Amino acid sequence: GENVEQHPSTLSVQEGDSAVIKCTYSDSASNYFPWYKQELGKRPQLIIDIRSNVGEKKDQRIAVTLNKTAKHFSLHITETQPEDSAVYFCAAIPVGGGYNKLIFGAGTRLAVHP
Amino acid sequence: DVKVTQSSRYLVKRTGEKVFLECVQDMDHENMFWYRQDPGLGLRLIYFSYDVKMKEKGDIPEGYSVSREKKERFSLILESASTNQTSMYLCASSPQDSSGELFFGEGSRLTVL
């Protein structure tokens, strides 16, 4: 079945720096790759997603890139701010994983220091 | 705004007790999910349901069962709780379309002593 690996597990940056989180997936037929942000004590929420027919997608300070050949996708946060501190999860929907059955990575704890 | 409500934020149970975790969504979503969240392991799918009375196993169903008698409600049942089921449990729902987005509840933190 699908396996999603996420790196790094923790990331510490200074305010204003960029942060990059990378994920690899095993099922070449996966076609949907969302990113969720979970602030401390809160529920995970979708922040950006990308489908396999697109190589890059941006939304203000966040962007996601997808390399289907290498089977990896990345989250890029520019001009980081303290409110970006959270745990970030990548995910993929495997083949036959209809019903939005997501397989998640292990998560990255991002700390942005003022 | 989609609302997914989990009945208990914090529970403490003893080994061998039967535990019910309830989840209700108010957006008429067809799909509902139970995930377990553990540090370093991310979110792992326990069970999901795509319709009333329909259920399918996820990646870690052992020790759990589910019930979906009404479209808006999805219950996770631990027949005989064990200490290794101490965890954060997250319920989620999504519409039937292929948008992919899951809407999560706030989570239920279960401690089994």
Side-chain angles (χ1 to χ4, degrees):
Chain A
E2 175 68 282
N3 183 48
V4 178
E5 294 193 359
Q6 183 172 347
H7 300 280
S9 56
T10 60
L11 182 58
S12 182
V13 300
Q14 290 295 125
E15 183 177 0
D17 287 351
S18 294
V20 180
I21 303 170
K22 298 181 179 179
C23 288
T24 61
Y25 60 98
S26 59
D27 187 344
S28 58
S30 290
N31 59 9
Y32 174 70
F33 307 93
W35 286 88
Y36 283 77
K37 175 183 180 182
Q38 185 179 30
E39 297 177 9
L40 189 63
K42 302 282 183 65
R43 69 189 78 200
Q45 291 191 293
L46 179 71
I47 55 171
I48 195 167
D49 57 13
I50 192 167
R51 298 193 181 272
S52 58
N53 58 347
V54 175
E56 183 176 4
K57 184 176 178 181
K58 288 184 179 180
D59 183 2
Q60 299 183 4
R61 295 187 297 106
I62 61 174
V64 56
T65 58
L66 172 65
N67 183 325
K68 285 188 64 179
T69 303
K71 293 190 286 186
H72 67 70
F73 57 111
S74 300
L75 178 70
H76 304 253
I77 307 173
T78 58
E79 301 172 24
T80 54
Q81 301 168 4
E83 52 265 39
D84 294 328
S85 296
V87 178
Y88 291 82
F89 295 98
C90 62
I93 288 184
V95 164
Y99 312 115
N100 300 333
K101 191 179 79 169
L102 295 176
I103 304 300
F104 286 86
T108 297
R109 183 174 299 279
L110 173 64
V112 180
H113 301 285
Chain B
D1 236 13
V2 176
K3 193 161 185 184
V4 179
T5 303
Q6 295 183 228
S7 56
S8 303
R9 292 296 307 274
Y10 301 94
L11 302 95
V12 179
K13 298 292 181 181
R14 297 210 172 271
T15 301
E17 280 192 82
K18 190 169 186 176
V19 181
F20 292 88
L21 299 180
E22 304 283 344
C23 176
V24 176
Q25 50 94 4
D26 66 356
M27 284 302 292
D28 202 36
H29 285 170
E30 289 79 10
N31 304 326
M32 295 190 74
F33 308 81
W34 276 105
Y35 281 89
R36 171 176 170 161
Q37 181 176 9
D38 299 287
L41 297 176
L43 283 70
R44 294 180 291 166
L45 182 63
I46 304 172
Y47 268 97
F48 70 101
S49 169
Y50 51 91
D51 200 353
V52 176
K53 296 193 185 295
M54 305 304 289
K55 60 185 179 184
E56 286 197 21
K57 294 180 180 179
D59 297 319
I60 52 165
E62 297 78 18
Y64 304 95
S65 62
V66 290
S67 172
R68 191 155 180 212
E69 296 296 319
K70 293 184 178 181
K71 190 175 186 180
E72 66 271 19
R73 187 181 297 271
F74 192 36
S75 302
L76 180 69
I77 303 155
L78 288 66
E79 292 288 342
S80 178
S82 63
T83 55
N84 62 12
Q85 292 178 309
T86 292
S87 187
M88 171 68 81
Y89 292 88
L90 287 165
C91 174
S93 72
S94 76
Q96 189 71 351
D97 67 31
S98 59
S99 68
E101 182 173 5
L102 297 187
F103 297 88
F104 284 91
E106 295 277 2
S108 298
R109 182 165 293 283
L110 171 67
T111 301
V112 183
L113 302 176

